Amino acid sequence: MFERASNAAPRRHECSNNADTALKGLYDDYYSRLLSYVTRILADQHHAEDVVQETMLRAWCHADLLTPDRGSVWGWLTRVAHNLAIDRIRARRARPVEVEETVEGATHGRNADHSDTVINTMFVATMVNKLVPAHRSVLHAVYYADHTASDAASVLGVPVGTVKSRLHHALRNLKQTLEHQH
């Protein structure tokens, strides 16, 4: 039996009698809230919809686990949705970026011109190399190694405030250099 998401009188869903009614009840009671929850995690409405659909399918398949003595339905749904969303984020990070995804407006043929991307990459690398080593190392730790400020501080052996300050100054210097080039 499923508990209702609102404070109104609880509605009972019996999967054994009518699975379609139970699934419809789950959607009616939880879909909007669950979609909002997953969208905040993924920051992508389309991926969030996929995760919520998968979560609802798993709830339907495991209806026997969704009983009041085992905990709340909302808690079960959010845990499953959270795990699916995190799996999706990890999969995106593990998948190499395809060339077509990195070049706006690139053709899908073999003769796509990547010269603008190469020139931009070289330009940014030159600008970063002109930064003082302390700023360069913070940029590398935060943006290329994907560390948080506190992780970068630990790796670099400096306080977190120093990492934040150096990052601020490095980005400001890059912005000023870019403004002077154009």
Side-chain angles (χ1 to χ4, degrees), residues 102-103 113-128 178 181-182:
T102 61
V103 181
D113 182 14
H114 305 290
S115 60
D116 287 341
T117 303
V118 172
I119 290 169
N120 288 337
T121 301
M122 291 173 56
F123 179 71
V124 170
T126 301
M127 288 176 34
V128 169
L178 182 61
Q181 294 293 328
H182 291 274

Side-chain angles (χ1 to χ4, degrees), residues 47-124:
H47 287 286
E49 288 171 354
D50 291 343
V51 167
V52 172
Q53 290 291 340
E54 178 65 24
T55 302
M56 290 297 182
L57 178 63
R58 289 184 184 194
W60 182 65
C61 292
H62 300 287
D64 57 320
L65 298 176
L66 302 175
T67 60
D69 60 316
R70 293 190 147 202
S72 74
V73 173
W74 175 247
W76 191 91
L77 289 171
T78 55
R79 175 52 39 208
V80 169
H82 180 268
N83 291 344
L84 290 170
I86 296 303
D87 288 347
R88 210 168 259 254
I89 290 169
R90 288 179 180 151
R92 262 191 266 161
R93 286 183 181 163
R95 182 179 157 258
V97 178
E98 295 177 10
V99 173
E100 284 82 14
E101 292 177 6
T102 61
V103 181
E104 290 183 26
T107 61
H108 293 291
R110 292 182 172 260
N111 298 327
D113 182 14
H114 305 290
S115 60
D116 287 341
T117 303
V118 172
I119 290 169
N120 288 337
T121 301
M122 291 173 56
F123 179 71
V124 170

